[in-house]
Amino acid sequence: MVELGNTLTEDARWLVGFVSEVGGAVLASNSGTGAPESAYVLVTATDAGKIVFGTNAQSRKFTNITADPRVSMVLMQDGAHEVQLEGEARVLEGSDAAPAAEALAAQHPGSTNTQDPENLRLLEFTVRWASRTDTSQQPPLAAELELR
């Protein structure tokens, strides 16, 4: 989940809407060998401004994130709208995981109904830096987002 704060800025509200609308992203993590590892993940954003995604505890991305939580994410829409995010991912446990599972399942029905429920892990993504590009307008928009 991305914690954008209690009072969301206009850019943070825009980001929540964009993430919710797009619903998927490429997540890059550090493999620990110096080589990046990328994977497509289903994402959602809550009204509180948290970005949530799930993975399997046996996946490379989970191993990477638990060793080094620094990640980046790219979301695309219509080939003209792009958002780049950098920050940290954190594994949710206990009571923190339930609302994340509900939000992800609401956006992506069946996404938390895995054949391997023991290895399902939910994560939140804390965004430290974000930018957006919109090439559908002239001149094209390229701007960093003010999230706090």
Side-chain angles (χ1 to χ4, degrees):
M1 292 186 226
V2 97
E3 183 66 57
L4 297 176
N6 294 331
T7 305
L8 299 179
T9 66
E10 183 177 329
D11 283 348
R13 283 192 303 277
W14 179 88
L15 178 60
V16 166
F18 186 81
V19 170
S20 295
E21 189 174 323
V22 172
V26 175
L27 176 80
S29 59
N30 180 359
S31 70
T33 66
E37 193 269 327
S38 298
Y40 185 80
V41 294
L42 297 175
V43 296
T44 194
T46 68
D47 290 339
K50 297 177 183 287
I51 294 177
V52 177
F53 66 98
T55 191
N56 186 294
Q58 303 301 313
S59 70
R60 291 190 312 161
K61 72 180 143 316
F62 184 78
T63 300
N64 296 347
I65 289 168
T66 55
D68 181 351
R70 296 174 297 167
V71 295
S72 63
M73 191 177 276
V74 176
L75 298 91
M76 291 287 300
Q77 183 181 49
D78 302 329
H81 300 79
E82 174 186 312
V83 169
Q84 296 179 24
L85 306 172
E86 294 176 2
E88 292 85 36
R90 147 179 113 84
V91 179
L92 298 171
E93 297 184 29
S95 62
D96 288 341
E102 289 173 16
L104 195 59
Q107 170 106 20
H108 303 284
S111 62
T112 58
N113 296 337
T114 175
Q115 293 182 6
D116 189 8
E118 291 297 316
N119 283 310
L120 174 64
R121 298 296 184 269
L122 297 161
L123 296 95
E124 69 180 17
F125 181 25
T126 301
V127 177
R128 302 289 181 221
W129 176 86
S131 71
R132 71 181 278 205
T133 303
D134 179 354
T135 60
S136 69
Q137 62 185 30
Q138 293 301 321
L141 168 73
E144 288 190 21
L145 300 177
E146 295 292 327
L147 301 177
R148 294 183 183 13

